[in-house]
Amino acid sequence: MSQTQLEAARAGQITQAMRQVAQAEGLEAESLRRAVAAGRVAIPANPAHANLEPRGVGQGLSVKVNANLGTSPDRADMAEEKAKLDAALEAGADAVMDLSTGGDLKAIRAQVLANSTVPVGTVPIYQAAVKVTGEDRGIVDLTADEMFAVIEDQAREGVDFMTVHCGVTLSALERLRSEGRVTDIVSRGGSFLACWMVANKKENPFYEQYDRLLEILRAHDVTISLGDGLRPGCLADATDRAQITELVTLGELTQRAWDAGVQVMIEGPGHVPLDQVEANIKLQKRLCHEAPFYVLGPLVTDVAAGHDHVACAIGGALAGWAGADFLCYVTPSEHLALPGPDEVYEGVITTRIAAHAADIARGRAASIQRDREMAEARRRMDWDRMMALCLDPKTARAIRSGSMPAEEEVCTMCGKYCAVRLMRDYFRPGEK
Amino acid sequence: MSQTQLEAARAGQITQAMRQVAQAEGLEAESLRRAVAAGRVAIPANPAHANLEPRGVGQGLSVKVNANLGTSPDRADMAEEKAKLDAALEAGADAVMDLSTGGDLKAIRAQVLANSTVPVGTVPIYQAAVKVTGEDRGIVDLTADEMFAVIEDQAREGVDFMTVHCGVTLSALERLRSEGRVTDIVSRGGSFLACWMVANKKENPFYEQYDRLLEILRAHDVTISLGDGLRPGCLADATDRAQITELVTLGELTQRAWDAGVQVMIEGPGHVPLDQVEANIKLQKRLCHEAPFYVLGPLVTDVAAGHDHVACAIGGALAGWAGADFLCYVTPSEHLALPGPDEVYEGVITTRIAAHAADIARGRAASIQRDREMAEARRRMDWDRMMALCLDPKTARAIRSGSMPAEEEVCTMCGKYCAVRLMRDYFRPGEK
């Protein structure tokens, strides 16, 4: 291909993707182009992903939501994966990641790419790991060439963004060991690389041969999502020396990717107490020169298993308000099992609530207006309009129709004692 | 009765209730006594509530969670109310409110008081309203004596705290009208009083005869929860002149209640955007001289119907971190229907996550320790211990047992590619 979105933007060109994103966001295309040129916005849009409707991630745009999909060795079913993708799209995900590690990975990915209208991300090292373990070798027996081969394959197939844990370096691992963490590494890709490095006594190939990686990504305009392999896996490990060391490295790698014409996002924690969330966002924005920040949660407690989507929404809302651009969802199954379609739906909706609350706090006019229209519909007791304005009309309708009041105007919470109606009748009689 | 907790504390006496609360919170009884004497902590404990295990609400204590129960005209079933109470207690609610407006209110309240080991609250004006509408009169036909009679009855029966909307004054209503709100009043009790005042062209009896109210409450040590009848019902109305005018009045009434020996909590919003939550808490603490703050949410968006418990958890976590003491839950049914037992359970757990996240951010050692122990259990892959440490073991166990991995040590999210196990085997081999 000729140019990445970043290169085109730098050359002063407004691409079709930029126009589509600008329109969706209610921005001038030229101001979006400048943000892409500066690296503050990424548009993950591999030209080989045929039916993609591009989305932008970054400063000045609405906060986006990603849904992690994919099989595991214990649970690999093509039909279920299709149902999960459908659930994510129905719930309004802005991106999906296929994180499969079970079944026919290439076929599953092809199914996702063929059916996803939103950007598709992967963590290519997973496929490399599955390949070697299927050959009765271990993850530590992978060769660097095998790792790069998977990246090239997936780039050619049309993957829009890839998580690569380039910041898991030997020196970061040394810092991790000396830090004395409770949970060393909980990132799957990060642990694969760390174990490979320890077993082989070698530097991370994605760090050592970073230019080789960038060359492949640039050729297909794959956005690199610089993975945080050392993200904290519990509150006790949050914002520690290991995590921040990796982040400093990711800042250096951001600049090198931009120099090579590759679009960048930075991945962030993880498990972070409420009072450290804002600092994490400000730090990333400074160290990575305003590159889009993609946070995995953050979860604000470790003891919410079964409801970790809620712990994630709390942290995500705060992170988005502080400047995070892209929230990775968590489902009620997190820390317990692979989610099914219902959990995927719930996870996306919950994270969209967090993203929307953050957009409002950041002053985004369209988001504020939506809530105002909902309030006006409530005042008018206009149920059709209320349902249309809900983030999840399907669930809202089901709850209401499962418990209908005697008088259709109100609801069964208060029935004839509805405060809104009383105020209309007594406080503002005659007004609409 | 002889003395309220507040009067006893001022007299230098450590009551049995203070001892129980101090032990539950890991505090010295004497330091708790000082906080009660200063009004910074309330212990809602009506001596007539026989099987009560007292809880404290306020500064220096863990953040507490309330579950609203009760019937409505459209849905009134004693057995369902019992199931809702059981669900709230099983989920770990620290208090419940019986907000019934349908069926035999006295019998329902008796059932709650007999079966609740946690403090029970009510909004007495509801019963007065139900009584007159049952007599073919309207709410506006109530007499002040009828309003006070209900309060005296409920105090005698053992209700531990009562919401009374004393701050809905004629001058506040004038300010409300001139403010130009989107949703004038969404508080049910607030709307009853406002309509009564407008129709009768009279001042709020609970404001005008506040001393009479305090005398009843003092005699039974009922904690007054000064209701926020003018709380915002949507983000557009948050933190406006009407709301703050009422809060200033509540500050004055706090001082008068303390002077009369009555324990006080202050109720707060409502619907508040993320970026206004902290200001709301700081303002209440200053205007009401550190009286315990009981927030109803706050919901950080208006468009989350079907998932308002999540919007509430986001706002509640932030509020708790900023200093709110007591979070009123919201269920997935909010704005749509009266909740059933399952929604009550979900609402309590979700709000407990918010309260726990706030406790951690406020530096509460026991809360931080619980999460640390969970992280250590995860590192050891000790599933029994993980389940024991969960806020909701029941749901966590159900999710895990619904999707069991081939190897029991891990879970179906990653199966044999478990990062925690890889790190144990390669990064720290030989360590426990």
Side-chain angles (χ1 to χ4, degrees), chain B residues 220-240:
Chain B
H220 301 272
D221 198 3
V222 175
T223 299
I224 189 166
S225 193
L226 284 164
D228 56 335
L230 303 188
R231 69 172 172 271
C234 62
L235 300 195
D237 294 343
T239 328
D240 70 352

Side-chain angles (χ1 to χ4, degrees), chain A residues 1-9 11 13 15 45-48 214-222 260-262:
Chain A
M1 67 154 279
S2 48
Q3 279 186 315
T4 64
Q5 297 290 334
L6 176 58
E7 290 168 330
Q13 295 165 26
T15 63
N46 186 326
L214 293 176
E215 204 174 321
I216 302 170
L217 301 180
R218 200 212 64 81
H220 302 272
D221 198 4
V222 175
V262 173

